[in-house]
Amino acid sequence: MSDADDELIKAAADISSHDRARAGFIGSMTMILGGFAVLYGLLTLVYGDDIWRFEGYQGNYTTALQLPGAPETWGVGFTVVGVWALVVGYLARSVMLSVAMALLAIMFGIFASSFVIDAIRLHAPESWPAALTYATLAVSMGTRARLAWVTR
């Protein structure tokens, strides 16, 4: 075997190793994003108003609480779609994972938007960090949805 052959074999092994690492990272991020939705949804269902309402306070969560049945409505939505994302992610069902992650992206995007509305309408600067956090999650979930779709 020549030196060129050895280099090709090493390069192929490196590509394979990087591919496995990427697949592991993508799978881990899928579980983290889905798990976050489930845990946040469950916290919202278990603690409800206690974690979203503050006596006489107008700011964070004010707009999100205007959804009928809130906060439990948010909790059910996040939990159900999050569990769906975890299951289809584990089963490697790309199209279904794409749909689940897209739904989570939309839900968390709307959730993030409610904090932007609170920050502007209620002059509540404490709402900006939540808006940024949930928007980042929404974009991450949207990115994962796109990756699942293009690799179906």
Side-chain angles (χ1 to χ4, degrees):
M1 211 181 293
S2 69
D3 287 340
D5 290 338
D6 288 342
E7 287 180 33
L8 284 173
I9 291 170
K10 183 181 179 320
D14 285 348
I15 290 170
S16 177
S17 173
H18 287 271
D19 190 50
R20 280 192 308 277
R22 262 190 300 281
F25 173 78
I26 292 166
S28 296
M29 288 307 300
T30 300
M31 295 300 122
I32 289 168
L33 292 170
F36 177 85
V38 171
L39 293 175
Y40 191 81
L42 289 174
L43 282 172
T44 303
L45 286 170
V46 170
Y47 294 105
D49 287 344
D50 291 342
I51 60 172
W52 278 35
R53 291 187 198 270
F54 308 99
E55 190 69 35
Y57 171 75
Q58 291 284 318
N60 276 343
Y61 299 104
T62 300
T63 302
L65 283 165
Q66 292 176 1
L67 181 72
E72 288 79 7
T73 309
W74 289 104
V76 169
F78 291 146
T79 302
V80 169
V81 181
V83 167
W84 180 29
L86 288 174
V87 170
V88 296
Y90 179 78
L91 297 174
R93 303 285 198 266
S94 293
V95 172
M96 296 305 287
L97 178 61
S98 181
V99 173
M101 282 293 169
L103 282 174
L104 284 173
I106 291 166
M107 291 167 62
F108 276 102
I110 292 168
F111 197 55
S113 298
S114 75
F115 290 96
V116 172
I117 291 167
D118 290 344
I120 294 169
R121 186 176 56 130
L122 302 172
H123 306 288
E126 66 276 10
S127 295
W128 287 115
L132 177 62
T133 300
Y134 294 118
T136 300
L137 281 166
V139 170
S140 299
M141 291 167 176
T143 302
R144 183 62 186 100
R146 182 185 179 283
L147 179 62
W149 185 257
V150 300
T151 58
R152 65 189 188 287

